[in-house]
Amino acid sequence: METEQLDIHNFDHKNDLLKKRVVNDASLLPSNKKYILDFINFCEAKGNRPATINKDLHSLWYVGRHLKKDFKKCVKEDMVKVCGAIEGQKDKKGKP
């Protein structure tokens, strides 16, 4: 028996806002916007929890803003550069 979980963090609303941010973000390539939104639609159809979708959506948005390259054309070195940039931005608590 599966119980419905109470969304005390209002992830559905947060996800809607993040989707709008992705759509309206001029620093994201149009192709990457499509990839991100298609992936999120797939996750929703698959039944992923709103909290999981929120983390995935935020991570893809953040990487897309820093990558400046089509996701499907990036190589390992591109991702290493993005990860290095993220590591370089962390504060004392380890958060970017």
Side-chain angles (χ1 to χ4, degrees), residues 27-43:
S27 67
L28 280 175
L29 295 175
S31 58
N32 288 347
K33 288 180 186 184
K34 182 181 178 342
Y35 298 145
I36 292 169
L37 295 174
D38 287 349
F39 178 74
I40 296 306
N41 287 336
F42 170 76
C43 290

Side-chain angles (χ1 to χ4, degrees), residues 50-69:
T52 303
I53 292 170
N54 182 269
K55 183 61 179 172
D56 291 345
L57 181 54
H58 187 271
S59 298
L60 288 169
W61 169 75
Y62 191 85
V63 168
R65 290 189 72 210
H66 288 83
L67 189 59
K68 308 284 189 218
K69 190 173 184 179

Side-chain angles (χ1 to χ4, degrees), residues 10-25:
N10 205 6
F11 281 116
D12 288 328
H13 177 67
K14 289 178 181 180
N15 291 345
D16 289 340
L17 293 177
L18 269 172
K19 285 180 192 176
K20 288 177 186 174
R21 184 183 293 173
V22 167
V23 169
N24 296 325
D25 193 336

